[in-house]
Amino acid sequence: MIRQYELVERVRGYDPGVDEALLNRAYVYAMRMHGSQKRASGDPYFSHPIEVAGILTDMKLDVDTIVTALLHDTIEDTDATRADIDQKFGTGIGRLVDGVTKLTRIELQSDQTKQAENFRKFFLAMSEDIRVLLVKLADRTHNMRTLHFIEKAEKRKRIAAETLEIYAPLAERVGLRAIKDELEDLAFIELHREVRDSICARLDYLGSEETETVEQIIEELGRVCAKNGVASAVSGRRKSPYSIWNKMQRKHASLEQLSDIMAFRVIVDSLEDCYKTLGIIHANYQVVPGRFKDFISIPKANGYSSLHTGVMGPRQQRIEVQIRTHKMHEIAEKGVAAHWNYKEGATDGQQPKWLNDLLEILESAEGPEDFLEHTKLEMYVDQVFCFTPKGDLIALPRGATAIDFAYAVHTDVGHTCVGTKVNGRIRPLATHLQNGDQVEVLVSRTSTPTPGWIDICATGRARAQIRRFVRQSARAEFLDLGREIISKAFRQADESFSEDRLAEVCGQFGAETAEDLLVDIGAGHQTARAVLQAVVPRLAGAANGEPVAALTDAGKTRKKQSAVPINGLTSGMAMHLAGCCHPLPGDRIVGIVTTGKGVVIHTIDCETLEIYHGEPERWLDVSWNTEEEESQQVGRLDVVLANEPGSLANLSTVIGHNKANIFNLKITHRNPDFFNLIVDVEVEDVRHLTTIIGALRASPVITSVDRARG
Ligand code: MN
């Protein structure tokens, strides 16, 4: 375990002006808070944050990052709170520790590695400050180093797989080459120990055979450079077992078939020397075509720069040579972090310049070698990442609602959703989701989407599915309604109805099939009478007589058996309850076939009906389907209320006592003595509404109550 003074020494080594008191305070605080907690290894828990801090001193990170590393598990694993950290170490460090804690919680929440891509993006989106991510990577590195202490094999494998899928690519992404190699190797040991052992054994064998060769190549390359006036340090490096295995799998090749197990590195003093050395090597050895890459002119997105080339070496075998300066080498090994200047620009409360530099690099165009997708922190600001209760990650655009989430899970879930729980609490479907929300969709098999959802969705997928559903169900309803209307018209004319008879005339109405014609009738694009007359031409003469399919005064001639029964209608699309008269079950009603809308239901005494007097063919006798299960309808009341304290409360109490729900309430007029209100109440039928009106009239503060008309 690193001692307190050692840690301070390390930081002072690269940052002489470091705030030592701050480091010491954090060290002591973390030690005290973790107390007697133990790691799986049996070590005191406190050794973990210290080792994590130690890893970050290797990257020469600023004191805030080192302090964050020391404190990184205090909020999650001890009694410490964010407020404690803020108070003792300042809000800057509090924010960083909080960020790491959030990532830790996400990590605990889900064990899905198949969504690695999403997780990597999520991590970047959540790491608003890159230092949060660096601490998390160091945390994972130490956990991997001590992975073998965990007893459950299953848990070890899961952590190793997650490391390979998520953390190693993230480390590469931010240029932490050494960390990436270590994470990969540790995970490789856990997941495929035998494969790794055999690759290592094979490499050792090949290596022992070629040790002499390698030494010779190193010596010869150095000599050639020196002869041409370039001072260089040449080294030969065996590629990592994991990268070799990866390549074997990618190329379906055996170890022997891989040409460049060895990479030679020539490190020189200056940029000019890099290109000069390249020229020297190309002049002395035969170039392997297609292997030259200039990552100095075009650095990789993570800041890596070097010249790569492939040549036939001194012994006529293919070798890879990398040429770079000392500085490029350090960046390649330790990431851009190694060259940040901590003091620069950090004084005015803005992001230090080095942070901006790194962000710039992350944002820069991806190089051809970059196996990760082009990512940058800002890129995910317009996305939110939410979890299903099982921990699956769903990525949605910012502004997405629970409905979008439901459709992202499955179309059927979307179609039947009725509500949602966000982080365990019931929320409206229109709730905008936030990063990290856990979303549970509540469904009801009998529920269906409403067109209004289209406006509260942010994803094209949800909108398209809702539109499709609405279109299809509208067609189905128009079809049923059309069949109902036309068969009634046939019955009244004493003609037998069949779809075959319709099929004969559908061409006349521009419909392809009898079914299309029925839909047109239901939607009000064709009248039942016109269709009936086309099928039975002798009825054409009756055009000026009694309307065939409709009754001008449904009230007088209403026959129960000939009326079209209408159901609950709350979500009906082919039949609507008129907004002018708000018919209720029990009211005497009539349907008006309205082009494109289907049938609109009015009460018999509704004034709006006057408009349709000249068009008897639009009228349709309808009746309430009383066998339908009870459903709630909205009745509208005109209320005049005394303007005194408690009068509104009195109104709602009376309505509540009568087991009705106020659906909407609007003040239309007010003066010093009275309010005029429109009150929409959900009631079972007209009797229910009448009861409520009676009760309201009995109240002393209510001046008058009437059903709203027209
Ligand atoms: Mn930790």
Side-chain angles (χ1 to χ4, degrees):
M1 191 164 87
I2 305 169
R3 298 269 169 200
Q4 193 169 342
Y5 72 89
E6 281 178 279
L7 188 73
V8 175
E9 277 302 303
R10 284 200 198 184
V11 181
R12 203 165 47 202
Y14 58 85
D15 182 7
V18 63
D19 183 349
E20 292 180 24
L22 178 65
L23 270 178
N24 286 323
R25 260 191 297 135
Y27 192 101
V28 172
Y29 181 77
M31 182 147 61
R32 210 181 62 227
M33 292 312 289
H34 284 292
S36 57
Q37 290 171 354
K38 290 261 190 297
R39 296 272 290 174
S41 59
D43 286 342
Y45 192 92
F46 176 57
S47 63
H48 166 67
I50 308 240
E51 292 298 332
V52 173
I55 291 168
L56 292 163
T57 60
D58 287 345
M59 298 176 215
K60 301 182 181 176
L61 283 164
D62 68 331
V63 67
D64 283 6
T65 312
I66 305 302
V67 169
T68 301
L70 290 170
L71 304 175
H72 83 269
D73 277 332
T74 54
I75 294 182
E76 185 66 16
D77 292 339
T78 78
D79 295 334
T81 63
R82 163 81 196 266
D84 294 340
I85 305 286
D86 279 355
Q87 193 219 327
K88 292 193 167 60
F89 301 97
T91 50
I93 286 169
R95 195 172 50 81
L96 291 173
V97 176
D98 192 51
V100 180
T101 306
K102 276 188 190 148
L103 292 189
T104 303
R105 287 181 184 156
I106 293 157
E107 182 181 70
L108 296 174
Q109 201 166 11
S110 177
D111 56 2
Q112 303 281 323
T113 52
K114 60 181 178 211
Q115 292 180 303
E117 168 79 21
N118 268 343
F119 265 102
R120 289 199 297 267
K121 288 180 184 172
F122 186 38
F123 261 65
L124 285 172
M126 290 295 280
S127 320
E128 281 150 15
D129 189 314
I130 192 74
R131 291 174 292 180
V132 168
L133 182 63
L134 297 178
V135 173
K136 198 64 210 162
L137 286 169
D139 176 45
R140 176 55 63 127
T141 304
H142 184 247
N143 286 337
M144 285 302 290
R145 284 179 189 171
T146 53
L147 186 68
H148 56 280
F149 289 115
I150 292 175
E151 271 182 28
K152 274 195 195 153
E154 200 182 304
K155 189 177 175 191
R156 285 201 309 271
K157 297 244 183 284
R158 175 176 69 69
I159 293 173
E162 194 178 80
T163 299
L164 219 45
E165 301 261 3
I166 296 162
Y167 294 91
L170 279 174
E172 157 124 21
R173 182 74 214 156
V174 293
L176 301 177
R177 158 99 198 204
I179 294 283
K180 177 211 161 224
D181 283 350
E182 184 177 353
L183 288 176
E184 280 179 351
D185 198 43
L186 290 167
F188 195 30
I189 290 172
E190 179 57 44
L191 294 171
H192 304 285
R193 186 183 288 273
E194 305 76 36
V195 179
R196 184 181 177 276
D197 284 350
S198 68
I199 288 176
C200 288
R202 190 74 193 139
L203 285 175
D204 285 345
Y205 171 71
L206 291 174
S208 65
E209 250 192 356
E210 290 174 4
T211 302
E212 211 180 315
T213 319
V214 171
E215 293 299 324
Q216 282 177 352
I217 293 173
I218 290 174
E219 204 194 309
E220 190 176 327
L221 285 174
R223 203 169 50 235
V224 170
C225 288
K227 205 170 78 187
N228 289 275
V230 175
S232 66
V234 184
S235 60
R237 182 181 67 99
R238 200 160 82 180
K239 291 195 167 174
S240 81
Y242 180 74
S243 71
I244 289 171
W245 185 64
N246 227 348
K247 210 167 198 175
M248 282 164 65
Q249 294 212 310
R250 248 189 0 252
K251 298 193 168 173
H252 304 287
S254 70
L255 195 53
E256 279 74 12
Q257 286 170 292
L258 294 181
S259 58
D260 40 11
I261 290 165
M262 295 297 297
F264 293 85
R265 192 172 290 146
V266 183
I267 296 174
V268 296
D269 291 333
S270 67
L271 186 68
E272 296 74 48
D273 281 354
C274 289
Y275 288 100
K276 202 168 166 189
T277 305
L278 179 75
I280 295 165
I281 289 172
H282 281 186
N284 283 274
Y285 304 101
Q286 193 193 334
V287 177
V288 178
R291 299 302 303 266
F292 171 64
K293 282 167 193 122
D294 184 349
F295 295 119
I296 291 177
S297 298
I298 308 164
K300 287 196 194 186
N302 62 16
Y304 176 86
S305 47
S306 246
L307 298 175
H308 289 191
T309 190
V311 294
M312 298 304 283
R315 288 216 176 168
Q316 293 305 301
Q317 69 284 75
R318 288 154 65 128
I319 57 170
E320 183 183 301
V321 184
Q322 302 171 351
I323 307 159
R324 54 176 80 143
T325 64
H326 293 285
K327 187 176 171 183
M328 290 174 198
H329 182 59
E330 202 176 346
I331 292 175
E333 294 298 309
K334 292 180 182 172
V336 184
H339 277 269
W340 291 335
N341 183 346
Y342 305 103
K343 298 302 167 195
E344 220 176 305
T347 47
D348 53 358
Q350 287 186 334
Q351 282 193 337
K353 188 176 174 299
W354 58 266
L355 201 56
N356 289 332
D357 285 350
L358 181 58
L359 289 174
E360 224 165 83
I361 289 161
L362 287 174
E363 284 164 20
S364 65
E366 65 191 308
E369 290 292 301
D370 201 357
F371 75 90
L372 267 177
E373 80 298 343
H374 177 83
T375 57
K376 56 180 186 179
L377 295 174
E378 279 77 5
M379 216 170 129
Y380 302 108
V381 171
D382 57 357
Q383 277 189 287
V384 289
F385 298 85
C386 303
F387 294 92
T388 67
K390 282 183 189 160
D392 286 340
L393 190 64
I394 306 264
L396 295 165
R398 192 158 286 277
T401 62
I403 294 178
D404 292 300
F405 184 92
Y407 277 98
V409 171
H410 196 276
T411 303
D412 288 342
V413 175
H415 283 344
T416 54
C417 69
V418 288
T420 182
K421 273 189 190 174
V422 178
N423 302 323
R425 292 182 56 197
I426 298 266
R427 309 289 302 163
L429 279 174
T431 303
H432 285 233
L433 301 175
Q434 306 295 323
N435 249 335
D437 276 349
Q438 196 207 54
V439 185
E440 184 182 344
V441 180
L442 308 173
V443 298
S444 157
R445 219 173 300 156
T446 54
S447 183
T448 55
T450 69
W453 284 6
I454 292 168
D455 299 328
I456 48 176
C457 285
T459 58
R461 178 190 160 89
R463 283 206 201 97
Q465 293 293 350
I466 295 164
R467 277 204 195 94
R468 214 171 125 225
F469 182 91
V470 168
R471 220 172 25 240
Q472 279 177 356
S473 62
R475 183 182 160 88
E477 290 199 19
F478 284 143
L479 178 65
D480 284 351
L481 184 62
R483 189 177 285 121
E484 197 85 52
I485 293 170
I486 192 75
S487 58
K488 199 184 95 179
F490 271 76
R491 210 157 48 235
Q492 288 182 339
D494 282 326
E495 289 287 332
S496 67
F497 168 73
S498 74
E499 287 192 21
D500 287 345
R501 294 186 80 179
L502 286 197
E504 285 165 24
V505 300
C506 63
Q508 294 176 38
F509 297 93
E512 285 197 2
T513 63
E515 199 176 284
D516 288 345
L517 184 55
L518 287 171
V519 170
D520 281 348
I521 295 167
H525 295 306
Q526 302 295 345
T527 66
R529 182 167 59 171
V531 175
L532 177 63
Q533 285 170 354
V535 176
V536 190
R538 70 178 164 79
L539 292 175
N544 299 323
E546 272 294 285
V548 178
L551 302 162
T552 41
D553 189 344
K556 273 180 203 151
T557 55
R558 181 153 140 165
K559 287 174 239 144
K560 254 260 150 3
Q561 66 276 17
S562 70
V564 175
I566 67 169
N567 300 328
L569 288 184
T570 38
S571 66
M573 286 156 210
M575 286 208 194
H576 302 260
L577 294 175
C580 44
C581 53
H582 296 272
L584 291 174
D587 277 332
R588 287 162 65 187
I589 47 174
V590 65
I592 298 292
V593 180
T594 312
T595 308
K597 279 190 177 174
V599 174
V600 179
I601 310 296
H602 296 264
T603 59
I604 280 296
D605 53 357
C606 179
E607 286 170 15
T608 315
L609 293 176
E610 274 178 33
I611 311 169
Y612 300 103
H613 262 315
E615 301 171 278
E617 69 279 1
R618 287 186 179 278
W619 293 60
L620 185 69
D621 189 14
V622 292
S623 72
W624 297 103
N625 185 354
T626 47
E627 280 152 36
E628 269 295 295
E629 59 198 281
E630 272 183 23
S631 60
Q632 296 276 307
Q633 305 298 334
V634 176
R636 175 165 284 192
L637 299 176
D638 268 332
V639 181
V640 182
L641 203 61
N643 186 6
E644 55 186 65
S647 61
L648 204 56
N650 184 280
L651 172 92
S652 59
T653 305
V654 172
I655 292 173
H657 276 165
N658 284 279
K659 297 191 169 57
N661 180 39
I662 296 180
F663 185 73
N664 195 7
L665 190 147
K666 195 164 76 186
I667 297 175
T668 54
H669 190 72
R670 75 199 289 180
N671 67 29
D673 298 322
F674 299 104
F675 285 123
N676 287 63
L677 303 171
I678 294 279
V679 184
D680 290 337
V681 285
E682 285 180 332
V683 292
E684 281 155 28
D685 54 22
V686 71
R687 270 183 57 197
H688 190 191
L689 188 67
T690 310
T691 311
I692 292 168
I693 292 172
L696 288 173
R697 282 177 178 156
S699 164
V701 292
I702 294 165
T703 311
S704 75
V705 186
D706 283 295
R707 239 182 117 181
R709 296 284 179 189

